Amino acid sequence: DAIRDFVASDKPLVGYFGAIAPWIWVELINSVAKLLPEVNFVIIGPAYHPLHLPDATELPSNLRYLGGVPASDLVLYARHWSAGIIPFRHGDIARTTSPLKLFEYFALGLPVVATDSMVECTRFDVVHGASTEAEFASAIEAAIEESKDEEFRKRVLALAEENSWDRRADDMIEAIMAAASYRNSARSP
């Protein structure tokens, strides 16, 4: 019900889920929503102190902060999205973070727009990096177009599979086995 009107509007829907913490560039989100009135934005997650979110009456009509929702319900919202965003402020946190939500967005088949200082995100060629409000808005428009391309969606889903927990566990087991084999062969006369 919280986004029923957004879904019914037939406008593209772009979203974020995760903590709304001081490293989230709230001003960027608000500005981009104003730059793209033909796109609806949904931001999901609890706001952490000392962050102050604008009152709903101060937001553009195409932007909605929903607060926290149960993790099991995230897909109910995100299945309507055309793109996922990761709007971290430029700085050390952005440069050193590898957010799980990137792979969750991939698993949903979503194109992603992130601030360009998020090198762990932008190393993937399917992620749009942007450093300014105008670049972020332009990247969102490009991501919305990509969301209509089934081949692009398949590429994103393949990235999700390549980075699944099962695949990572298999890679770790393989590395451990190779190290153990090397170690055993080094001991043999």
Side-chain angles (χ1 to χ4, degrees):
D1 287 342
I3 62 168
R4 184 180 308 273
D5 59 327
F6 276 14
V7 173
S9 76
D10 287 329
K11 290 181 179 181
L13 189 52
V14 172
Y16 168 86
F17 55 66
I20 314 297
W23 54 84
I24 299 300
W25 197 353
V26 173
E27 300 84 4
L28 171 77
I29 298 167
N30 297 345
S31 294
V32 169
K34 290 175 186 171
L35 289 171
L36 297 174
E38 70 282 1
V39 177
N40 287 325
F41 293 84
V42 174
I43 310 301
I44 300 172
Y48 289 94
H49 183 77
L51 190 67
H52 171 72
L53 293 178
D55 185 78
T57 60
E58 301 170 25
L59 297 175
S61 62
N62 63 329
L63 172 59
R64 198 162 293 157
Y65 287 90
L66 299 184
V69 301
S72 59
D73 290 350
L74 289 176
V75 72
L76 299 175
Y77 292 93
R79 70 185 177 147
H80 299 288
W81 297 358
S82 297
I85 58 173
I86 308 177
F88 279 39
R89 293 181 187 281
H90 297 292
D92 290 340
I93 292 175
R95 281 190 298 278
T96 59
T97 299
S98 179
L100 251 184
K101 74 180 77 328
L102 175 68
F103 302 108
E104 292 167 334
Y105 290 166
F106 286 171
L108 291 162
L110 295 172
V112 178
V113 178
T115 43
D116 63 356
S117 55
M118 299 198 70
V119 294
E120 287 297 315
C121 295
T122 58
R123 68 184 178 93
F124 293 96
D125 66 350
V126 297
V127 175
H128 296 269
S131 63
T132 67
E133 294 164 353
E135 288 176 10
F136 211 87
S138 189
I140 286 172
E141 291 173 320
I144 289 168
E145 286 305 308
E146 287 171 339
S147 74
K148 300 170 188 173
D149 180 347
E150 190 57 35
E151 289 305 311
F152 181 85
R153 184 172 149 67
K154 287 178 184 177
R155 284 181 56 214
V156 171
L157 291 169
L159 280 172
E161 180 59 34
E162 289 171 23
N163 290 279
S164 70
W165 288 116
D166 287 342
R167 180 68 64 90
R168 288 178 181 214
D170 289 344
D171 290 347
M172 291 296 293
I173 291 168
E174 186 178 311
I176 291 167
M177 298 300 287
S181 176
Y182 175 78
R183 185 175 179 196
N184 290 337
S185 68
R187 288 183 183 171
S188 300

